[in-house]
Amino acid sequence: MRPLVMTIIEQLIRIVRERQRRGMRFAELSPHNLAVLGMRRPPVAPARASTPAPAQNYTSILTQDFTANKPAPAPTQGSAVIEAPAPVVYPPPPDVSSADWDTICHACLACQCCDLCATRHSVVIEDGCRTAPLMFIGEGPGADEDAQGVPFVGRAGQLLTRMIGAMGRDRACTDPAKAVYIANIVKCRPPGNRNPLPEEGNACIGYLRRQIALVNPKVIVLLGNVALKFLTGRSGIMSARGKWIEVCGIPTMPTFHPSYVIRFERDAKQFHDTKLLVWQDLQQVMKKLSEIQ
Ligand code: URA
């Protein structure tokens, strides 16, 4: 179990960074949060408004728009306004468009091109066989994947593994007749399992594109909206699933993400119906593979 204070700090850092990215230069922190961050309230909090702000708690202050021309509200009783440091400028992602596997893996492990590097425990690059004819692409690591450094090992991953088994394939196999390769849009866990932000996905997508080029699968399966969006620019997995598209010139089948499917676990009928839709998509994939191979 991770220490509670650590997760609070991580949450605070994430909240403050997101506001900073949106152009806010000040964040009001409660005495409690100041204590968590190991900081003390400045003796005199700088007055930033000529008229007193209406009574509000610090949560509502944190969700306000602090941008241009608008004086920030006066700090509420017992809290402090702290000027945020200059926005973090990340280096551009390296050009890996002709990199070999070692170079990609080293670049991913050293990557500091977006916020996610600050909170990750692992860089989750891949699983399966690099010469597999079938590639699955998910969204990004969750807590289990971040802890183990392997994609799709949590509950959604277990469902994906069962689906791969139902296709007559095996994540651990290197025989092309059975092998699969698995990767994600982002390689570091978005805190709280939120969707990757555009800048996070865009910073990471070059690594994935190179992985696709090196594996050169015969067929790709996109799992869920995030994979669909970052690789094709299209939204709407509901209407996209079950229909062939192309990604990097490779026949690609979008389908539901296993996390979406397990949301219905407690409703036997919906669970069955949703799994059936995914299974129909995967049957098309098996058919396509048998035609190509
Ligand atoms: N969900 C994903 O999209 N990828 C993983 O690796 C795990 C869960």
Side-chain angles (χ1 to χ4, degrees):
M1 181 113 131
R2 302 175 63 204
L4 182 61
V5 83
M6 202 52 221
T7 55
I8 294 172
I9 289 173
E10 285 166 9
Q11 288 299 323
L12 282 172
I13 290 172
R14 184 177 64 78
I15 289 166
V16 171
R17 278 220 168 116
E18 283 188 9
R19 276 154 182 68
Q20 189 182 23
R21 196 184 1 252
R22 281 190 246 134
M24 287 170 52
R25 293 185 51 244
F26 298 92
E28 185 168 358
L29 298 175
S30 70
H32 172 72
N33 285 345
L34 281 173
V36 166
L37 289 169
M39 299 160 90
R40 282 192 314 185
R41 183 161 118 75
V44 181
R48 304 198 59 81
S50 49
T51 50
Q56 51 197 326
N57 63 34
Y58 56 86
T59 307
S60 68
I61 287 176
L62 277 173
T63 54
Q64 278 186 1
D65 179 11
F66 275 75
T67 47
N69 304 330
K70 193 170 164 196
T76 51
Q77 183 71 29
S79 62
V81 173
I82 297 181
E83 190 153 3
V88 182
V89 178
Y90 292 103
D95 177 7
V96 290
S97 56
S98 52
D100 61 12
W101 280 112
D102 274 1
T103 310
I104 295 185
C105 291
H106 281 120
C108 290
L109 293 172
C111 186
Q112 308 242 333
C113 297
C114 80
D115 270 356
L116 300 183
C117 67
T119 46
R120 72 183 176 213
H121 295 97
S122 307
V123 180
V124 180
I125 300 174
E126 59 182 349
D127 193 36
C129 173
R130 289 175 178 174
T131 53
L134 176 57
M135 178 165 182
F136 288 87
I137 300 177
E139 173 178 325
D144 295 306
E145 291 77 18
D146 182 45
Q148 296 182 43
V150 181
F152 282 103
V153 290
R155 285 187 64 232
Q158 286 156 22
L159 176 58
L160 178 65
T161 304
R162 290 201 297 278
M163 287 173 170
I164 289 170
M167 297 172 83
R169 292 187 171 263
D170 181 346
R171 291 176 64 154
C173 191
T174 53
D175 171 0
K178 291 190 150 200
V180 295
Y181 184 81
I182 302 175
N184 278 311
I185 296 294
V186 291
K187 297 186 170 17
C188 304
R189 181 189 181 210
N193 293 348
R194 62 164 169 75
N195 285 350
L197 300 172
E199 58 269 35
E200 294 162 353
N202 293 337
C204 217
I205 200 83
Y207 303 127
L208 179 64
R209 287 193 184 281
R210 186 60 188 155
Q211 284 171 283
I212 295 172
L214 286 172
V215 175
N216 192 21
K218 305 256 187 294
V219 176
I220 295 174
V221 176
L222 297 184
L223 299 167
N225 246 328
V226 170
L228 178 71
K229 179 81 193 164
F230 279 99
L231 279 167
T232 70
R234 290 176 52 178
S235 336
I237 193 68
M238 290 289 170
S239 58
R241 66 145 283 275
K243 299 178 198 122
W244 288 105
I245 54 173
E246 277 200 359
V247 166
C248 306
I250 297 167
T252 297
M253 175 58 66
T255 193
F256 292 136
H257 192 286
S259 301
Y260 174 76
V261 179
I262 59 179
R263 263 199 239 161
F264 301 114
E265 248 174 359
R266 293 221 182 96
D267 178 336
K269 178 164 178 352
Q270 252 207 312
F271 186 46
H272 170 269
D273 292 351
T274 317
K275 266 198 304 189
L276 187 61
L277 293 177
V278 175
W279 181 237
Q280 286 166 358
D281 302 342
L282 296 181
Q283 281 180 311
Q284 289 201 62
V285 168
M286 287 153 67
K287 182 162 179 283
K288 178 79 83 185
L289 279 168
S290 69
E291 288 162 4
I292 296 174
Q293 275 172 348

